[in-house]
Structures are given as structure tokens and as C-alpha cells.
């Protein structure tokens, strides 16, 4: 039986002290162990940004992709080996700016993987520019007079894009975050988990205290039903998307289940020996 320690690789993270990404890392490790995975059964694919370093800090298969392209890689891995548990990770700039096209299509496709977005409402690695999640008026090095754009609402976007598991969490709530990641991994289909992960260096507005004052747990809303898409959307609109918990979940066949002829046995487990007769038969097809 795996434990939290089995997913440690000895690499010390170089995030800023107090960064919310530390908690995300711990939550992924705990969730994987709680589910009963081994490091050899987990693949972590990440993009660019502070969040992109996550794939190098966890003992599992890892792939550090390019900016905004974690999801295409993760989907390819899952299609190549359906037995692997695939988790993609990135920041709000990675997933909701350059990579938003991939995000939307992965959601509607319902590929069986989990996407964790570390949402700090700013570009941290490149020294504090505005992101698609920055609120109007937010002052950064790229918007010295304050952002004039409206912030993107990722959870509303996920609902209308067909995601079958939509959740939100807060990095300071390690217990709730771990449970949400566990539920996302166990869900059969595409799971998107937006995690409020404060940047203590470049975002002095969306702080830990600010989130504690403004976030609402869905479990505290009487009668809330995560199976009701309309209720989920209305709840997001009424609370300016400042909610945590499983916002929406529905059962629908995953992409892999709908692909005709998709082999049950992964390529990695299929013998690749090529005898002489088969070789000449294949060559003859091209003669």
C-alpha cells in the first residue's frame, strides 16, 4: 500500500515561501496515496510557469511540456496507455490564456483525466503581469493603470463546455483540496479542478486572508445538488464564482469508451516481436 512518502522524489521545490503551490503538491501526493496508486501508475504532465514545476517535484512519471500544451500531451498519454492515471497541471495563464483552446476541447471531449489549475490571478514566473483571471483595475507591471479587461470565469466556461466534473478548491484547505482531487481522479471522464493558489510575491490583493473572507463552501449551501447543471450555473453567478467544492458532476461515457476499435490492452503491454514472415508481409504492402 502506497503512502504519501512514496510520492516524494527528494527534489526541493523552489517556489517562493508561502506559495499556494506547495499545498497543491502535497494534496496530489496524498490523494494518489489515498486512492491506492503507486508512483508507476501515475503520470503528471505540466505546462510552463511556476505551476509547471510540479511534474518535477513528485515521484511518478512526469512530463514538463510547453506553455499551454499540457492537455494535448496528457490526452496522448492517456490514449496510449489507458491503465495509467493521468493528471495534468498548470496555471491560470497556462490553461486560460494560450492554452484555453485545448482546455475547452478537452472538456467537451471528456477524456478520462484530471486537470488541476493553480489559479493565482497573475503571471508569477515572468514577474507579475496581468493574467486572464486578473480582475478589472488590477495593477501589474503590464497594466500600471489597472487592467481594463473583465476576468475570465473558468468554472462557468467549464459548465458550458461540457465538462463532466467541475470543482474548485483553496490551497489553504489541504483536507478539502485532497478530497476534491481524489474525487476528480476517480471520476470517469474529464475533471477540471480550479485551485485558488495565492501568489505571495506578485499578487497583494488576492491574498490568503482575502480568500478566507470571500469564499463560500458549497457544503454550507442548503439543498445544493452538484448533479443539477442549472443550479450549478446559478450558484456561480450569484456568488461571483467564489465557491469551493464539487460544483457539477455527471456520468457520461468517456472519450476512450466511445472510440471504436480502441484496444483494451495498452500498447506498452503488447509484444512487439516481429517475425520474418510478418516483416515480409508488411514490406510487401508497400512494394
Amino acid at each position: 500500500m502506497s503512502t504519501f512518502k512514496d510520492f516524494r522524489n527528494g527534489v526541493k521545490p523552489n517556489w517562493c515561501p508561502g506559495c499556494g503551490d506547495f499545498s497543491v503538491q502535497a494534496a496530489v501526493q496524498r490523494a494518489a496515496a489515498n486512492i491506492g496508486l503507486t508512483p508507476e501508475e501515475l503520470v503528471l504532465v505540466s505546462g510552463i510557469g511556476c505551476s509547471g514545476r510540479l511534474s518535477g517535484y513528485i515521484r511518478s512519471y512526469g512530463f514538463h511540456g510547453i506553455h499551454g500544451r499540457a492537455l494535448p500531451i496528457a490526452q496522448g498519454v492517456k490514449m496510449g496507455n489507458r491503465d495509467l492515471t493521468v493528471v495534468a497541471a498548470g496555471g491560470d495563464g497556462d490553461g486560460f490564456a494560450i492554452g484555453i483552446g485545448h482546455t475547452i476541447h478537452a472538456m467537451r471531449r471528456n477524456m478520462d483525466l484530471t486537470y488541476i489549475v493553480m489559479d493565482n490571478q497573475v503571471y508569477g514566473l515572468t514577474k507579475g503581469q496581468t493574467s486572464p483571471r486578473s480582475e478589472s483595475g488590477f495593477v501589474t507591471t503590464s497594466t500600471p493603470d489597472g487592467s481594463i479587461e473583465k476576468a475570465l470565469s473558468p468554472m462557468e466556461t467549464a459548465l458550458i463546455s461540457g465538462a463532466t466534473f467541475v470543482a474548485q478548491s483553496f490551497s489553504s484547505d489541504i483536507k478539502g483540496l485532497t478530497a476534491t482531487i481524489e474525487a476528480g481522479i476517480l471520476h470517469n471522464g474529464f475533471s477540471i479542478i480550479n485551485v485558488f493558489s495565492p501568489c505571495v510575491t506578485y499578487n497583494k490583493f488576492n491574498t490568503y486572508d482575502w480568500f478566507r473572507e470571500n469564499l463560500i463552501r458549497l457544503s454550507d449551501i442548503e439543498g445544493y445538488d452538484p448533479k443539477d447543471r442549472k443550479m450549478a450555473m446559478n450558484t456561480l453567478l450569484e456568488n461571483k464564482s467564489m465557491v469551493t467544492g464539487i460544483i457539477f458532476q455527471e456520468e457520461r461515457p468517456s472519450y476512450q469508451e466511445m472510440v471504436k476499435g480502441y484496444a483494451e490492452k495498452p500498447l506498452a503491454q503488447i509484444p512487439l516481436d516481429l517475425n520474418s514472415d510478418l516483416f515480409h508481409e508488411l514490406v510487401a504492402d508497400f512494394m
Side-chain angles (χ1 to χ4, degrees):
M1 187 71 176
S2 297
T3 67
F4 172 86
K5 294 181 180 180
D6 291 320
F7 292 91
R8 290 177 176 173
N9 63 5
V11 179
K12 185 178 180 180
N14 62 350
W15 292 311
C16 300
C19 175
D21 294 359
F22 284 101
S23 295
V24 176
Q25 176 192 346
V28 170
Q29 292 168 313
R30 293 184 187 203
N34 291 346
I35 291 171
L37 295 174
T38 64
E40 294 78 15
E41 295 172 321
L42 175 65
V43 181
L44 189 59
V45 181
S46 63
I48 296 298
C50 297
S51 58
R53 295 168 173 161
L54 189 70
S55 61
Y57 298 153
I58 294 177
R59 183 169 174 258
S60 69
Y61 288 114
F63 194 112
H64 193 169
I66 58 177
H67 201 193
R69 306 297 186 261
L71 281 175
I73 297 166
Q75 291 174 87
V77 170
K78 188 64 180 182
M79 288 299 293
N81 191 342
R82 68 196 309 164
D83 290 344
L84 292 172
T85 295
V86 180
V87 174
D92 47 302
D94 197 68
F96 304 141
I98 188 172
I100 193 167
H102 296 302
T103 302
I104 289 174
H105 291 297
M107 290 190 288
R108 73 174 184 84
R109 191 173 289 129
N110 201 32
M111 187 72 69
D112 185 20
L113 59 86
T114 303
Y115 186 33
I116 300 172
V117 181
M118 282 154 271
D119 182 3
N120 57 19
Q121 293 91 55
V122 72
Y123 280 101
L125 188 67
T126 52
K127 306 298 187 285
Q129 296 81 18
T130 186
S131 91
R133 290 284 294 129
S134 300
E135 293 290 343
S136 299
F138 189 60
V139 176
T140 69
T141 54
S142 61
T143 54
D145 295 324
S147 175
I148 61 174
E149 299 177 343
K150 179 177 173 58
L152 179 76
S153 299
M155 299 291 90
E156 295 169 30
T157 301
L159 281 178
I160 64 174
S161 298
T164 55
F165 184 99
V166 180
Q168 199 156 242
S169 195
F170 179 33
S171 64
S172 185
D173 178 16
I174 187 69
K175 183 178 179 181
L177 175 56
T178 301
T180 301
I181 293 174
E182 286 180 36
I185 291 175
L186 292 173
H187 175 75
N188 181 40
F190 187 85
S191 305
I192 181 168
I193 303 171
N194 193 61
V195 183
F196 294 118
S197 181
C199 175
V200 295
T201 302
Y202 295 109
N203 190 339
K204 304 299 184 182
F205 179 76
N206 304 112
T207 62
Y208 284 97
D209 287 340
W210 184 86
F211 280 115
R212 291 188 185 101
E213 292 172 5
N214 288 278
L215 286 174
I216 299 170
R217 287 193 176 106
L218 289 172
S219 58
D220 293 336
I221 299 178
E222 186 175 353
Y224 186 78
D225 182 7
K227 296 180 181 179
D228 189 331
R229 186 187 295 270
K230 185 176 180 180
M231 181 183 288
M233 181 62 80
N234 288 338
T235 301
L236 288 172
L237 293 173
E238 291 167 3
N239 296 283
K240 299 180 180 179
S241 296
M242 296 299 291
V243 298
T244 59
I246 298 176
I247 298 167
F248 179 73
Q249 183 174 13
E250 71 171 347
E251 297 301 323
R252 199 173 84 215
S254 66
Y255 185 84
Q256 293 93 319
E257 293 172 316
M258 299 182 69
V259 174
K260 293 182 179 180
Y262 183 46
E264 288 290 334
K265 181 175 282 190
L267 182 63
Q269 298 178 15
I270 297 176
L272 298 179
D273 297 333
L274 190 64
N275 61 48
S276 178
D277 291 340
L278 179 58
F279 173 77
H280 289 294
E281 181 182 337
L282 292 172
V283 171
D285 289 337
F286 295 92
M287 299 299 288

